Amino acid sequence: MTQFSKNAETGPHPWMWPFVEFAIVLGLCLVVLFVVIPAGTAESDNFGLSPRMLPIVTIATIAAVSFATFAADLLRRRPRGPSVGGRPWGVVLLLLATFAGVLSIDRFGIVMGGTILVVLASLAVGERRPLVVGGMGIAASIVLLFVEWSGL
Amino acid sequence: MDVFLQGAGDALTWSSVLSVFGGILLGYIVGVLPGLSRPAALSVAVPLTYSMTPIAAIAFLVGVTKASAAGGATGAILLNTPGEPSSAATTFDGYPLAKKGEATRALKVALYASVFGDLAATLVLILLASSLARFALKMGPVEMTTVMIFALSFIAALSGTSLSRGIISGVLGLFLSTVGLDPESATPRMTFGFIELFDGIPLIAATVGMLAFTEMLLQAQALFAKSDGTSDETGFAPETNKRISSSDIRRVLPVTLRATGVGIAAGIIPGLGPTIGAFLSYAVNKRMAKTGDCYGEGDLKGVAATEAADNAVLPASLIPLFAIGLPGSVSAAILVSAFMLHGVQPGPLVFEQHPRLIYGIYVSMIVASLAMLAVGRLGLTLFARVTRVPARFIIPFVILFCVVGTYLERDTVFSVFAMLALGMLGFVMQRFGYSVVTFLIGFVIGPLFELSLRQALIVTNHSPLAILDHPIALVFLIAAIASLVLFLKRGH
């Protein structure tokens, strides 16, 4: 069941969400339109369309539609905010474990790094039994050894 | 007839049949594991065929290709992790079905729809190759642009509860697909010095990140919300019904037929490929949904719509290859190298120079379809048990497949970081009610849309009225406009 933030402890007041969402989307569009696209895409003097054409058109469309979204949210007269499914610790821990695992793959290779990733991710989702964590690590190594051996 | 019987005899020898089964098994493994893509598997498999007879070699490669398409659905349904980008659309209904306790039913429909689409497209290949190939040649840049506009018009239908948020998601996907080299001038766009971005954001990183990694983040959050982390919660409802009833077949059959048609069209037209074919078929079938259908919430029709189309693409992509020597997909292009390795030059003369081989390949393709049915039917009982495994065991392995899959695609951690970033974006989008489905449609269609649009503008000298000289394009454009008007009239 989707829930929505109800008070200031979990975020802005529900009636404020349309304003917050609109400000974020429009703000990001303006940054991309006036900073990211000009800085990241050179103009070309070829005979065809500018390389900036489609990026600019798409971002301008998003900005325009965000006005419609904002208006629709206000007219709906119903508080709307991000769905909340619990505290974000699980997400944060899993992200940290994944980042550490990716760096391990980069450093130690796919078999060792992938095994470390599985062990860290198991710990991140709350598994603490050494035998289970070890077993998952071994299972991961076998899968990864097959992948490396097969050359796929 | 004698030549046909000789070819069929070649295809039914033990070595050929065993090659098909070997290819099917390899293809299934490749299909199930994300990142091990069909073209990569084919590239690795081609050298393995050096010592085989031509018919056994092609049969082996056909087996790999067909089974990887069918196997991709398994991860999509059970783990929300598409084994192939073309299976990404199967997650839209397959995974919700598995969550509802209908994993086996979803896997069965995916398998039967895959085999149906594959067999039907193979028969079309056998019967109509040359006439359909001539039609494919009429699809120029103007026609392709309107096909893409037609596909993009479905974003509105797939937006979910908020039309404007769905449009924003789709257009955001289109925007991110522009990262990389400009298709006309090769000017780097928003690459900021990263050579890895010159080819654009990897498709596998986008599909795996947006679907599988996002889902694992949501599951981890749910796991922490429910317990102290040692629960045996699987995240799936227990399976009570595993059977496909006759009423299910009656519901799903028309969708499967339509999806097969879309898949065949996507295979014949060079450049579209299985991913666009599967997404397009899902969009078309969802648009034609009847009262009581619940696409996106776990409907067998959604699974059939994507799987039949995905599997119909490969046999259909051989139509322009055999008839005019033009491969219709990346997999078909790799098959060309296998043909040439065994002394066969695909093209219109192949029917005159190697009729026995071609008939043998046709029969091998049918054998491969049947082998796929047998292997898939045996495997799905085993695969469906994944739903009984607690989430705390599943999450680490899905994360591993996500990371290793994207890493293997380009052999660089840059792709993995792109996958993680897109996974986090997907997580935020889902929490704020933005559709990941429409994002992926925009992202998948974007590059081909832009390329076709630019080519069309050059071909027509920037004149919009030039479309009047292209009747096929005109039909697609009118269909796109009619589709949008109908959708808005219905009051989404």
Side-chain angles (χ1 to χ4, degrees), chain A residues 150, chain B residues 26 41 43-52 57 60-61 341-342:
Chain A
S150 65
Chain B
L26 178 63
S43 310
V44 172
V46 168
L48 299 178
T49 65
Y50 280 131
S51 57
M52 295 181 186
F60 177 74
L61 296 172
L341 189 75
H342 292 279

Side-chain angles (χ1 to χ4, degrees), chain B residues 56-297:
Chain B
I58 304 297
F60 177 74
L61 296 172
V62 164
V64 171
T65 316
K66 289 191 171 195
S68 63
T74 308
I77 290 167
L78 298 175
L79 305 168
N80 209 32
T81 309
E84 301 275 340
S86 59
S87 303
T90 306
T91 62
F92 304 155
D93 278 283
Y95 189 63
L97 276 167
K99 298 280 270 187
K100 287 198 292 191
E102 296 184 42
T104 306
R105 278 159 51 81
L107 286 169
K108 280 181 180 172
V109 167
L111 177 67
Y112 299 150
S114 296
V115 173
F116 182 90
D118 182 59
L119 266 176
T122 304
L123 291 175
V124 169
L125 164 69
I126 294 169
L127 299 172
L128 301 170
S130 54
S131 50
L132 284 173
R134 277 196 292 275
F135 167 76
L137 282 177
K138 290 180 182 166
M139 297 296 288
V142 180
E143 286 78 11
M144 290 296 280
T145 307
T146 52
V147 169
M148 295 294 109
I149 290 171
F150 180 62
L152 285 170
S153 75
F154 286 109
I155 281 179
L158 298 170
S159 296
T161 51
S162 168
L163 175 63
S164 58
R165 283 184 178 79
I167 291 172
I168 289 178
S169 305
V171 179
L172 179 64
L174 206 56
F175 168 72
L176 286 182
S177 75
T178 64
V179 173
L181 295 182
D182 173 62
E184 208 170 302
S185 62
T187 306
R189 288 191 301 197
M190 293 168 287
T191 56
F192 296 99
F194 290 103
I195 294 169
E196 294 90 341
L197 281 176
F198 278 19
D199 282 341
I201 296 170
L203 180 57
I204 194 85
T207 54
V208 168
M210 278 278 172
L211 296 168
F213 192 67
T214 298
E215 177 60 27
M216 290 307 109
L217 292 179
L218 291 167
Q219 286 215 11
Q221 189 175 22
L223 205 63
F224 266 72
K226 283 176 188 166
S227 71
D228 59 357
T230 56
S231 101
D232 278 336
E233 288 254 6
T234 60
F236 295 94
E239 281 198 277
T240 49
N241 180 16
K242 297 181 180 179
R243 296 176 67 91
I244 300 291
S245 64
S246 54
S247 65
D248 288 329
I249 295 170
R250 276 198 298 276
R251 279 190 75 229
V252 165
L253 192 60
V255 172
T256 311
L257 285 167
R258 268 197 300 270
T260 303
V262 174
I264 290 171
I268 294 170
I269 300 167
L272 286 183
T275 308
I276 291 179
F279 275 91
L280 193 58
S281 166
Y282 185 78
V284 167
N285 280 293
K286 186 174 177 183
R287 172 59 62 86
M288 298 175 82
K290 293 177 181 166
T291 313
D293 292 349
C294 50
Y295 282 90
E297 294 165 24

Side-chain angles (χ1 to χ4, degrees), chain B residues 142-151 153 449 453 464-468 470-485:
Chain B
V142 180
E143 286 78 11
M144 290 296 280
T145 307
T146 52
V147 169
M148 295 294 109
I149 290 171
F150 180 62
S153 75
F449 169 66
L453 176 67
L465 289 178
I467 197 168
L468 297 173
H470 300 263
I472 296 174
L474 205 57
V475 168
F476 276 107
L477 196 62
I478 291 168
I481 293 167
S483 160
L484 269 177
V485 170

Side-chain angles (χ1 to χ4, degrees), chain A residues 21 40 48 73 83 127 129, chain B residues 165 184 190 392 431 434:
Chain A
E21 186 183 333
D73 282 349
S83 57
E127 183 57 65
R129 290 168 292 183
Chain B
R165 283 184 178 79
E184 208 170 302
M190 293 168 287
R392 65 200 157 85
R431 287 190 56 158
Y434 288 86

Side-chain angles (χ1 to χ4, degrees), chain A:
Chain A
M1 172 68 90
T2 304
Q3 301 168 340
F4 296 104
S5 55
K6 292 172 184 143
N7 53 44
E9 284 171 24
T10 53
H13 189 280
W15 292 105
M16 286 296 292
W17 269 114
F19 294 93
V20 173
E21 186 183 333
F22 176 63
I24 292 172
V25 175
L26 191 66
L28 285 174
C29 284
L30 293 175
V31 169
V32 173
L33 208 51
F34 295 110
V35 180
V36 175
I37 294 173
T41 312
E43 275 294 0
S44 165
D45 56 358
N46 71 327
F47 58 91
L49 294 173
S50 162
R52 293 180 180 177
M53 188 272 290
L54 197 58
I56 288 175
V57 168
T58 51
I59 291 299
T61 306
I62 292 175
V65 178
S66 72
F67 279 98
T69 311
F70 178 58
D73 282 349
L74 288 182
L75 288 173
R76 192 180 284 125
R77 295 182 180 186
R78 206 171 32 177
R80 184 191 172 94
S83 57
V84 177
R87 292 183 184 280
W89 297 119
V91 175
V92 173
L93 282 174
L94 194 58
L95 277 174
L96 288 174
T98 309
F99 273 111
V102 173
L103 294 175
S104 305
I105 288 176
D106 196 30
R107 182 89 176 78
F108 305 115
I110 194 168
V111 177
M112 177 84 87
T115 307
I116 292 171
L117 168 64
V118 166
V119 169
L120 290 176
S122 304
L123 294 169
V125 294
E127 183 57 65
R128 295 290 181 269
R129 290 168 292 183
L131 271 178
V132 175
V133 175
M136 289 178 73
I138 291 167
S141 323
I142 293 168
V143 172
L144 293 167
L145 278 169
F146 168 74
V147 170
E148 198 169 63
W149 165 80
S150 65
L152 289 168

